[in-house]
């Protein structure tokens, strides 16, 4: 099957030019003008951007957490991702206490199998760090799971102490893997939570007030120091605090392989959302929490100057009814997480490119190319080049999207951006050459997504 995308403006992380893109089977076969071929299908992209499919390297589909399970599974979550212009995700498999990494990998492969409508890879969350597990990390890397998420937060759930973190980092360094770090000082947060509850403070906003930015900054600094000594790249996930970003910037200025992502919620929502009436603030209970609005400009600056290399979603949706409600009388029981897999590209285009904060090339870099490079998927994923997978989005820069629970495709009963109008809309999406969204309608198939075997660092 040969598909020709005709007349669009191709945008990569480095270039912007008018060209036709020829796809042969699953790959990009030719880029040029007046390609002398009669294709099986032609897509008219005049007046549109032709960009690499979005890559969201932080999602939690079908994830047991906080006494419940995230509301999107691999079918609903990846279809919503496709609607939003994302063609690859890297989700998190979770090692059970006493279990092996292989068991976790098999469990998450089974969750995705027959359901994922786009390609998917996995990071591995390690809840323990025994000699046997550290040995096993090598086998996982050979399977294409080349990054491990560790937690400095959530004591009793995911938390590892510094010694365990350090040993795991050393092993990652040896085998060419990357450490993804949830950097918040969990033990100290637990003291603050206990003290707040003892005073009768139960409302959602106390989730944020008991997780101060300084404790994210402290953990970020500690993670970077441990990684430096262990000689391993560290990627700070869901960075929300400008105070934490300062440490990433300083480390990068020293030439360390320190990377960080932020998420749209930290760029477009803020502490004030917790003060919405009634229990509505629970919609935004996530860790780290939303921060002060006036600090957002620091995150934008980080994105512009490459102190932040990626924007992912941390998509971890829980319905208000029956799930967030678990914390109606105690903020610490509200399941942590929020939806966003569908709105990332739209928000970043509107709030980033249209508003003049970042260029269109930088938009492509932070939503696709950068994460593909950091996590061993480039150049198969993350660019428009001959030989790359034909994961392509035709993006209409003029048409507007209004975000609403009534029209979104995520399996969750609220949208954190309800009513927000974004300029720009995903029109057509191709996943490995197959059109999976055509003029705004999903035409793909659950189960057509492939596992992405990611490369380790050489
Ligand atoms: O609140 C969040 N971020 N929920 C998902 C789990 C995590 O820590 O990424
Ligand atoms: Zn986390
Ligand atoms: Zn997460």
């Amino acid at each position: 099957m040969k598909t020709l995308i005709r007349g669009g403006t191709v945008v990569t992380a480095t270039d912007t030019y008018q060209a036709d893109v020829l796809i042969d089977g699953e790959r990009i076969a030719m880029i040029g003008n007046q390609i002398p071929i009669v294709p099986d299908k032609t897509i008219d992209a005049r007046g549109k951007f032709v960009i690499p499919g979005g890559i969201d390297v932080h999602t939690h589909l079908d994830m047991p957490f906080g006494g419940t399970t995230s509301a999107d599974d691999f079918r609903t979550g990846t279809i919503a991702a496709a609607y939003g212009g994302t063609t690859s995700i890297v989700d998190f498999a979770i090692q059970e206490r006493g279990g092996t990494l292989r068991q976790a990998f098999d469990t998450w492969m089974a969750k995705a199998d027959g359901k994922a409508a786009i390609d998917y890879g996995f990071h591995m969350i390690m809840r323990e760090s025994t000699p046997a597990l550290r040995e096993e990390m090598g086998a996982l890397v050979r399977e294409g799971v080349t990054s491990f998420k560790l937690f400095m937060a959530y004591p009793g759930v995911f938390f590892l102490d510094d010694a365990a973190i350090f040993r795991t980092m050393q092993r990652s360094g040896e085998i060419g893997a990357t450490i993804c770090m949830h950097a918040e000082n969990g033990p100290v947060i637990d003291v603050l939570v206990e003290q707040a509850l003892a005073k009768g403070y139960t409302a959602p906003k106390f989730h944020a007030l008991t997780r101060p930015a300084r404790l994210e900054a402290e953990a970020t600094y500690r993670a970077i120091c441990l990684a430096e000594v262990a000689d391993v790249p560290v990627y700070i996930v869901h960075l929300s605090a400008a105070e934490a970003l300062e440490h990433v910037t300083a480390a990068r200025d020293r030439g360390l392989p320190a990377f960080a992502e932020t998420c749209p919620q930290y760029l477009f929502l803020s502490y004030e959302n917790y003060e919405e009436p009634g229990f509505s603030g629970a919609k935004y209970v996530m860790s780290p929490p939303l921060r002060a609005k006036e600090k957002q400009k620091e995150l934008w600056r980080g994105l512009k100057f490459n102190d932040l290399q990626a924007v992912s979603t941390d998509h971890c949706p829980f319905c208000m009814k029956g799930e967030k409600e678990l914390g109606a009388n105690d903020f610490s029981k509200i399941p942590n997480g929020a939806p966003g897999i569908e709105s990332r590209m739209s928000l970043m285009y509107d709030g980033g490119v249209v508003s003049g904060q970042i260029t269109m090339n930088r938009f492509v870099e932070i939503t696709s190319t950068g994460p593909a490079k950091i996590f061993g998927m480039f150049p198969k994923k993350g660019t428009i080049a001959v030989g790359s997978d034909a994961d392509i989005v035709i993006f209409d820069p003029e048409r507007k999207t209004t975000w609403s629970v009534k029209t979104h495709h995520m399996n969750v009963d609220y949208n954190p951006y309800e009513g927000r109008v974004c300029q720009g809309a995903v029109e057509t999406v191709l996943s490995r050459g197959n059109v999976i969204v055509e003029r705004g309608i999903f035409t793909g198939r659950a189960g057509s997504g492939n596992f992405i075997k990611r490369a380790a660092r050489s």
Side-chain angles (χ1 to χ4, degrees):
M1 168 89 178
K2 289 186 172 56
T3 304
L4 188 63
I5 303 174
R6 194 187 284 282
T9 302
V10 176
V11 185
T12 68
T14 49
D15 299 304
T16 306
Y17 55 95
Q18 290 254 306
D20 300 342
V21 178
L22 178 68
I23 298 159
D24 190 355
E26 299 198 340
R27 301 257 168 91
I28 296 170
M30 204 181 284
I31 303 170
N33 285 313
Q34 274 127 36
I35 296 175
I37 201 150
V38 182
D40 302 297
K41 182 179 173 75
T42 301
I43 299 171
D44 181 3
R46 282 173 299 172
K48 314 279 159 65
F49 289 126
V50 178
I51 57 177
I55 301 181
D56 186 350
V57 293
H58 191 146
T59 66
H60 300 279
L61 301 178
D62 199 359
M63 180 210 195
F65 191 46
T68 180
T69 300
S70 59
D72 271 312
D73 67 6
F74 277 83
R75 187 183 66 78
T76 60
T78 58
I79 290 174
Y83 270 110
T86 287
T87 52
S88 301
I89 57 167
V90 184
D91 203 86
F92 291 85
I94 306 179
Q95 176 247 335
E96 289 303 324
R97 257 170 229 295
T100 64
L101 304 183
R102 160 62 57 186
Q103 285 164 344
F105 180 48
D106 289 348
T107 302
W108 258 261
M109 286 292 269
K111 283 176 190 267
D113 187 40
K115 288 191 171 176
I118 58 173
D119 291 351
Y120 55 94
F122 295 112
H123 312 281
M124 180 62 63
I125 290 176
M126 290 179 65
R127 307 173 94 136
E128 296 166 301
S129 179
T130 62
L133 288 172
R134 290 196 295 274
E135 180 59 32
E136 206 194 348
M137 288 166 71
L140 263 282
V141 166
R142 288 191 290 281
E143 297 268 13
V145 178
T146 56
S147 41
F148 297 86
K149 183 177 179 188
L150 309 180
F151 286 78
M152 300 167 117
Y154 304 128
V157 184
F158 291 131
F159 173 81
L160 290 182
D161 66 24
D162 286 355
I165 286 172
F166 183 68
R167 287 184 199 281
T168 315
M169 283 180 163
Q170 284 180 316
R171 176 67 174 145
S172 289
E174 277 166 24
I175 59 180
T178 295
I179 291 291
C180 298
M181 187 62 81
H182 182 131
E184 288 185 293
N185 188 323
V188 175
I189 286 168
D190 273 8
V191 173
L192 295 176
V193 169
E194 189 190 297
Q195 291 171 348
L197 290 172
K199 287 185 191 143
Y201 299 155
T202 59
K205 70 176 180 185
F206 290 100
H207 171 77
L209 295 173
T210 54
R211 302 182 94 93
R214 188 51 59 196
L215 294 183
E216 186 186 344
E218 180 276 329
T220 300
Y221 177 67
R222 189 159 33 102
I224 291 169
C225 292
L226 297 177
E228 181 179 3
V229 179
D231 196 18
V232 66
V234 65
Y235 177 89
I236 307 296
V237 295
H238 47 45
L239 186 145
S240 73
E243 293 84 343
L245 178 57
E246 281 175 20
H247 293 298
V248 176
T249 305
R252 292 178 62 78
D253 288 348
R254 286 203 295 124
L256 293 176
F259 306 94
E261 65 179 17
T262 191
C263 311
Q265 53 268 34
Y266 302 126
L267 298 163
F268 299 107
L269 303 171
S270 62
Y271 173 78
E272 288 78 69
N273 291 98
Y274 293 115
E275 303 215 321
E276 288 176 10
F279 190 57
S280 192
K283 294 175 185 168
Y284 316 98
V285 166
M286 63 189 79
S287 295
L290 303 176
R291 304 295 186 189
K293 201 168 195 54
E294 60 270 20
K295 296 278 191 171
Q296 288 173 346
K297 60 181 180 307
E298 303 298 329
L299 300 184
W300 281 107
R301 195 163 60 177
L303 285 171
K304 188 168 176 182
F305 294 112
N306 203 35
D307 292 318
L308 291 164
Q309 296 74 41
V311 172
S312 62
T313 60
D314 194 9
H315 177 77
C316 190
F318 296 105
C319 290
M320 287 294 277
K321 189 148 186 48
E323 296 186 317
K324 292 283 187 182
E325 246 171 30
L326 294 168
N329 302 313
D330 175 349
F331 69 90
S332 72
K333 296 199 166 56
I334 301 170
N336 283 202
I341 203 166
E342 188 172 351
S343 46
R344 180 182 68 128
M345 304 286 276
S346 161
L347 289 165
M348 292 309 297
Y349 178 75
D350 179 65
V353 181
V354 177
S355 71
Q357 308 256 28
I358 52 171
T359 65
M360 189 63 197
N361 304 98
R362 186 67 183 150
F363 164 79
V364 169
E365 191 164 21
I366 59 182
T367 57
S368 182
T369 318
K373 286 183 176 171
I374 293 170
F375 288 109
M377 294 178 272
F378 186 84
K380 189 173 162 62
K381 307 285 188 193
T383 194
I384 295 191
V386 172
S388 292
D389 281 359
D391 293 349
I392 295 176
V393 171
I394 320 272
F395 191 85
D396 183 339
E398 301 302 333
R399 196 156 59 85
K400 291 190 166 57
T401 308
T402 304
W403 289 103
S404 173
V405 65
K406 296 197 192 94
T407 47
H408 75 201
H409 303 89
M410 301 176 287
N411 186 34
V412 62
D413 63 1
Y414 73 98
N415 190 300
Y417 307 98
E418 188 64 38
R420 189 182 182 108
V421 181
C422 287
Q423 185 180 327
V426 170
E427 189 176 275
T428 298
V429 180
L430 292 93
S431 164
R432 278 180 288 103
N434 292 313
V435 176
I436 60 168
V437 174
E438 188 150 30
R439 298 191 183 280
I441 305 294
F442 180 70
T443 53
R445 183 175 59 79
S448 64
N450 281 353
F451 174 66
I452 306 169
K453 192 169 175 186
R454 295 182 292 117
R457 283 174 298 109
S458 45

